[in-house]
């Protein structure tokens, strides 16, 4: 049964309307070679809500497909998000299943297609399953989000593999592109060398750019800006509905 956006999503949207820069969240994943969680800060980009069931929103962020978190999430999609919004004194802790959506040119894209199909069959009442039934165009979404990035951010996806040794030191790093702008038009025979290099970098950055989608299964919402403080636990049922339980802050 379709439902409206859950209250925890409305709370996040309300907080971001007031404090639009509070988009930094922490995402933890597990490396299969170690029981120690790996955590990093990521930028919240948007929610993706299925048209058929807005009550099952996905949290969208981005990454370099070559980063270690990609292999970690593919091996174990269970992740945890911690998000503190200072202005409203609210904390959101989100447990969920993550998906990596790379370029169709990347070998990992086949894994995404297989994973999305199999998970939709085994867990039909999830946000990802609903979007797959709607034939959501993930590649169009990936390109759309990529184009919203700054030219300096796009350039970061032209660097060597994140986390790899810095061969050549800082002098080598100075050779990396500082910005990548969207090519003005179709490739032309008389294109300048500068434009050719920019076009090449654009294609490289877009190929390395990937979406991370987190399909929440549980949300712990703490409100410290009110007295008495409030804390609510939201749990998604196997039927795709959210159950709320007030708990001690």
């Amino acid at each position: 049964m379709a439902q409206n956006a859950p209250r925890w999503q409305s709370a996040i949207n309300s907080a971001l309307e007031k404090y639009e820069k509070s988009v930094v969240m922490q995402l933890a994943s597990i490396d299969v070679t170690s029981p120690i969680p790996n955590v990093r800060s990521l930028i919240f980009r948007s929610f993706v809500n299925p048209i058929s069931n807005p009550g099952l929103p996905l949290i969208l962020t981005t990454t370099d497909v070559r980063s270690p978190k990609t292999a970690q999430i593919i091996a174990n999609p269970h992740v945890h998000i911690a998000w503190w919004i200072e202005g409203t004194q609210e904390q959101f802790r989100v447990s969920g299943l993550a998906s990596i959506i790379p370029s169709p040119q990347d070998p990992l894209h086949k894994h995404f297609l297989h994973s999305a199909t199999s998970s939709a069959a085994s867990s039909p009442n999830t946000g990802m399953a609903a979007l797959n039934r709607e034939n959501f165009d993930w590649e169009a979404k990936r390109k759309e989000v990529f184009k919203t990035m700054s030219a300096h951010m796009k350039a970061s996806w032209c660097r060597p593999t994140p986390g790899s040794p810095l061969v050549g030191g800082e002098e080598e790093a100075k050779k990396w592109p500082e910005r990548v702008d969207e090519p003005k038009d179709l490739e032309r025979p008389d294109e300048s060398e500068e434009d050719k290099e920019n076009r090449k970098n654009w294609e490289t950055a877009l190929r390395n750019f990937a979406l991370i989608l987190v399909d929440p299964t549980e949300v712990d919402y703490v409100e410290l800006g009110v007295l008495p403080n409030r804390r609510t636990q939201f749990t998604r049922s196997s039927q795709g509905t959210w159950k709320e339980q007030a708990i001690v802050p």
Side-chain angles (χ1 to χ4, degrees), residues 22 42 48 60 114 134 142 153 168 176-177 186 226:
S22 296
L42 295 174
V48 181
L60 187 153
H114 172 74
E134 295 172 8
R142 192 181 71 91
M153 191 67 193
W176 299 341
L186 297 176
V226 296

Side-chain angles (χ1 to χ4, degrees), residues 142-215:
R142 192 181 71 91
K143 289 181 176 179
E144 173 194 321
V145 176
F146 177 76
K147 289 183 178 181
T148 67
M149 303 295 172
S150 69
H152 296 287
M153 191 67 193
K154 291 186 183 79
S156 70
W157 293 302
C158 294
R159 299 171 185 170
T161 301
S164 62
L166 182 57
V167 179
E170 291 188 7
E171 288 304 313
E172 182 64 25
K174 291 178 181 179
K175 301 177 184 178
W176 299 341
E178 295 182 358
R179 59 180 295 127
V180 175
D181 296 292
E182 183 171 4
K184 298 177 181 178
D185 46 33
L186 297 176
E187 188 172 1
R188 306 186 316 275
D190 60 343
E191 198 168 44
S192 69
E193 290 302 316
E194 182 179 352
D195 286 344
K196 287 181 180 178
E197 183 67 18
N198 180 74
R199 186 181 299 278
K200 176 184 175 182
N201 289 336
W202 175 274
E203 293 172 353
T204 297
L206 181 58
R207 186 169 60 251
N208 289 331
F209 177 76
L211 303 180
I212 299 178
L213 275 299
V214 177
D215 202 341

Side-chain angles (χ1 to χ4, degrees), residues 214-236:
V214 177
D215 202 341
T217 55
E218 186 174 292
V219 178
D220 189 318
Y221 171 36
V222 179
E223 301 169 79
L224 299 182
V226 296
L227 292 175
N229 299 155
R230 290 195 292 259
R231 184 178 179 186
T232 309
Q233 187 174 60
F234 298 81
T235 305
R236 194 186 71 198

Side-chain angles (χ1 to χ4, degrees), residues 2 10 33 43 53 63 95 170 175 193 195 220:
S10 299
T33 63
I43 303 298
N53 195 340
T63 189
S95 298
E170 291 188 7
K175 301 177 184 178
E193 290 302 316
D195 286 344
D220 189 318

Side-chain angles (χ1 to χ4, degrees), residues 14-61:
S14 178
L16 293 181
E17 285 178 4
K18 301 173 184 175
Y19 303 97
E20 59 182 18
K21 293 184 178 180
S22 296
V23 290
V24 179
M25 58 187 185
Q26 284 65 50
L27 182 142
S29 57
I30 296 291
D31 193 312
V32 293
T33 63
S34 169
I36 301 174
N38 289 259
V39 65
R40 74 286 292 168
S41 295
L42 295 174
I43 303 298
F44 168 76
R45 301 298 178 184
S46 71
F47 286 108
V48 181
N49 291 64
I51 296 174
S52 59
N53 195 340
L56 297 174
L58 274 66
I59 295 173
L60 187 153
T61 184

